Amino acid sequence: MSSLRNTRGPLPLLLGAVAGLTAGWTALATAELVAALVNPAAGPVTAVGGAVVDRTPAPVKDFAIRSFGENDKTALAVGILALLALLAAALGITALRHRRAGALGVLAFGLIGAAAALSRPDSTGPGDALPSLAGAAAGAAVLYVLAGRAVRTDGAAPEDGTVTEDGGGGRAGGVPGRDGTPTEGSTPVEDGPAASAPAQDPAALGQGRPGAPAGGRRGFLTATALTLLAATGAGALGRVLSVRRGRDAEASRAALVLPPPASPAPAVPRGARLAVPGISPFTTPNRDFYRVDTALVVPKVEADAWRLRIHGKGVPRPRVLTLGELLARPLIERDITLTCVSNEVGGPYLGNARWLGVPLAALLAECGVRPPSAGGPADQLVARSVDGMTLGSPVEDVMDGRDAMLAVGMNGEPLPFAHGFPVRMLVPGLYGYVSACKWIESIELTTFDAYSAYWVKRKWARRAPVKTQSRIDTPRPFARTPAGTVTVAGVAWAQRRGIIRVEVRVDDGPWKDADLAAQDTVDTWRQWSYRWSATPGGHTLAVRATDATGRVQPERRTGTIPDGATGHHSVFVTVT
């Protein structure tokens, strides 16, 4: 059906769009159901979204994190769905005139989804293509059928343009005889233009008038409603199956009892926690701890099924460990502040928690690993996640005596799924993108010259020690506060070095020393406060920190790429 009449105008376009959207919904729901049976991460939205993330330039990713924060994945999914809806509507309108072309368009998007699923680092094999292909086949079939019904509903005629009372060829009122005279039952017509006009206006078809094709608009709407109902049911079933797959992992986490540490965390010194309203708490609750990663769907791994493989260059005794074997080792407990390299000056992407885990250096040493300073051939440790993410850490930093660990606990409980259950890696003093692999399943020893991890391929730095920074937590930007004594307070951090001084400046005045809370360890942030005699008017407050090496936080602001932001944090407030 390459060309049809009466496929233009508001009503035909609306019917075509509805047919396309119904087909798109059917495709996604079918794919959701098949993905639940094959691999939830192979669903087209997740697969395409992951492919988009992988291929997005670093500055664009940085912009997304700045603009949407921890909702960046939700924004991406919504954007993909909105784009798919527009494309589905366009294909539906196209199918009014070219049904096969519209259906083929749906199939083409299925191939794109299948290719995206197979290209993902966490692809489990050829079966990951099935959700997109099955969804596309179902969507194409629905579009082909509904587009045909939409055309008939709108009263489009066959290509010869003739219309009869029953939808066939011929003219209303009878067929002329061979001599040109009307046969019995025919209606004579006057000579002239009116003689060649159809006796019935095609635009009136489908309106409940005599001559409407069988089925009509009611048939189209019924078919659409039934299709949507069936598709929604399939999608709901797929969602239930996906949730059920995750329940075993949730049950394994709930049943996990963490052993006590062989080396407990030192008690937090008195005076390390300031009682200032608005300041960040010294220990960040799990629910408030920042999350920045590329996983569109949080992996849920069963504790009993988890394995960790240690192998690679300079590993004479490779190992594969279970969670039980890991928990049987001596555990350490430490307070450590983690920082994301995407954290802008004054940004929220850092937090302090009490971590429980296995010392990583000791485990590597048992496998025969030596740092480069001791003659080891590997200078990079590549950690791989179950979702395919790779992070590269300097072996020298991991084994230099700092409390690098494979963490199993966070603030007194097993790791939350969003933060890496059952096991994640962390290395104090390094930005998360080179050290804090969540859902870790493999550690490979190699060299920086031989392999570039995920973020390094995207122009971020190979080595990324945390920079000296500070932040004003209170008062908030653009706050209004009464004149008098105002407490300015916040946190400062320089992991592995520690903070020895924090200064505050009001407008363009001199820098004044703030009062420092007690230092816990060099791996945690340090709270500070400053009592400011505020006078009426608008004022700019700025802060800078000095670490234990004597390095002062630089004033000039730089962006986060390639190795973290620098600059003074400042806020503007109005004093009344």
Side-chain angles (χ1 to χ4, degrees):
M1 187 175 294
S2 61
S3 179
L4 293 168
R5 296 173 54 193
N6 300 317
T7 55
R8 296 191 179 123
L11 180 58
L13 294 179
L14 176 60
L15 296 176
V18 168
L21 290 171
T22 302
W25 177 245
T26 301
L28 290 177
T30 303
E32 180 81 17
L33 176 57
V34 177
L37 300 172
V38 177
N39 175 13
V45 174
T46 302
V48 172
V52 169
V53 171
D54 289 346
R55 290 160 177 79
T56 299
V60 177
K61 288 181 181 175
D62 206 42
F63 170 79
I65 293 173
R66 291 198 311 271
S67 302
F68 300 105
E70 296 184 32
N71 296 317
D72 57 337
K73 300 167 191 65
T74 301
L76 175 60
V78 170
I80 290 174
L81 290 173
L83 179 60
L84 288 176
L86 291 174
L87 293 172
L91 287 174
I93 294 171
T94 299
L96 292 180
R97 298 180 63 85
H98 306 283
R99 291 168 69 187
R100 290 180 182 174
L104 288 174
V106 177
L107 291 175
F109 279 102
L111 292 175
I112 293 173
L118 294 175
S119 71
R120 296 290 297 140
D122 57 344
S123 173
T124 59
D128 285 357
L130 290 178
S132 293
L133 295 179
V142 166
L143 180 57
Y144 191 85
V145 172
L146 290 184
R149 286 183 174 271
V151 169
R152 291 196 298 274
T153 295
D154 192 51
E159 290 190 42
D160 61 5
T162 57
V163 180
T164 66
E165 289 184 349
D166 62 356
R171 296 191 180 191
V175 181
R178 293 184 178 179
D179 60 356
T181 59
T183 61
E184 183 178 355
S186 65
T187 303
V189 295
E190 300 286 343
D191 292 334
S196 62
Q200 188 172 11
D201 181 6
L205 295 179
Q207 306 299 321
R209 302 181 186 179
R217 188 176 305 161
R218 182 175 297 176
F220 172 80
L221 294 177
T222 300
T224 299
L226 291 176
T227 301
L228 288 173
L229 183 62
T232 301
L237 177 60
R239 179 61 60 182
V240 169
L241 293 175
S242 295
V243 171
R244 186 172 297 173
R245 287 183 63 155
R247 284 178 181 167
D248 291 339
E250 293 171 358
S252 71
R253 180 181 182 273
L256 183 63
V257 177
L258 297 175
S263 174
V268 177
R270 291 176 58 86
R273 298 182 174 95
L274 298 182
V276 177
I279 197 173
S280 299
F282 180 77
T283 299
T284 308
N286 290 355
R287 66 179 180 277
D288 297 330
F289 208 93
Y290 77 93
R291 178 197 165 200
V292 177
D293 54 53
T294 64
L296 297 184
V297 176
V298 174
K300 291 190 174 181
V301 181
E302 290 185 49
D304 291 340
W306 178 84
R307 298 290 185 273
L308 174 68
R309 181 187 179 202
I310 303 176
H311 63 110
K313 189 179 182 69
V315 186
R317 296 182 292 276
R319 295 188 62 179
V320 176
L321 294 101
T322 65
L323 182 60
E325 290 171 331
L326 205 65
L327 294 178
R329 299 178 63 85
L331 303 182
I332 61 173
E333 183 183 60
R334 298 291 185 268
D335 293 327
I336 299 172
T337 297
L338 297 187
T339 313
C340 179
V341 74
S342 293
N343 199 48
E344 291 191 291
V345 173
Y349 302 130
L350 76 156
N352 187 58
R354 175 158 290 187
W355 306 93
L356 176 71
V358 172
L360 182 53
L363 181 57
L364 293 175
E366 288 182 15
C367 295
V369 177
R370 292 174 296 151
S373 61
D379 62 1
Q380 180 181 205
L381 180 157
V382 176
R384 284 185 172 83
S385 166
V386 299
D387 70 342
M389 172 58 66
T390 58
L391 282 70
S393 308
V395 175
E396 197 70 51
D397 291 351
V398 172
M399 303 186 73
D400 68 356
R402 69 185 74 190
D403 290 315
M405 70 172 75
L406 295 175
V408 296
M410 180 179 182
N411 290 332
E413 64 179 78
L415 292 171
F417 286 105
H419 294 291
F421 181 86
V423 181
R424 72 174 295 167
M425 188 177 116
L426 59 88
V427 182
L430 300 181
Y431 283 118
Y433 84 99
V434 297
S435 66
C437 182
K438 295 186 281 190
W439 317 294
I440 190 172
E441 68 171 5
S442 170
I443 291 176
E444 180 182 4
L445 277 297
T446 182
T447 65
F448 283 107
D449 290 338
Y451 183 81
S452 293
Y454 182 92
W455 291 110
V456 174
K457 292 177 182 177
R458 288 152 181 83
K459 308 305 181 184
W460 294 82
R462 288 179 171 180
R463 293 172 170 83
V466 173
K467 297 182 177 180
T468 302
Q469 284 283 3
S470 56
R471 183 180 72 192
I472 298 173
D473 288 339
T474 183
R476 296 291 184 183
F478 306 109
R480 299 180 68 86
T481 183
T485 301
V486 174
T487 300
V488 183
V491 291
W493 61 96
Q495 290 93 310
R496 300 305 303 150
R497 302 180 301 279
I499 297 295
I500 62 170
R501 187 180 189 185
V502 172
E503 299 167 279
V504 175
R505 182 172 64 186
V506 180
D507 298 323
D508 293 324
W511 289 100
K512 299 290 186 67
D513 283 329
D515 295 321
L516 291 176
Q519 175 79 64
D520 183 11
T521 73
V522 295
D523 290 333
T524 64
W525 57 15
R526 193 168 187 179
Q527 295 180 330
W528 58 268
S529 65
Y530 174 75
R531 292 173 62 82
W532 170 43
S533 298
T535 57
H539 299 282
T540 298
L541 306 175
V543 63
R544 70 180 183 187
T546 304
D547 65 31
T549 69
R551 179 177 174 80
V552 180
Q553 180 180 340
E555 180 174 7
R556 187 175 71 88
R557 287 203 177 192
T558 63
T560 57
I561 300 173
D563 59 356
T566 61
H568 294 167
H569 183 219
S570 62
V571 298
F572 180 83
V573 298
T574 300
V575 179
T576 59

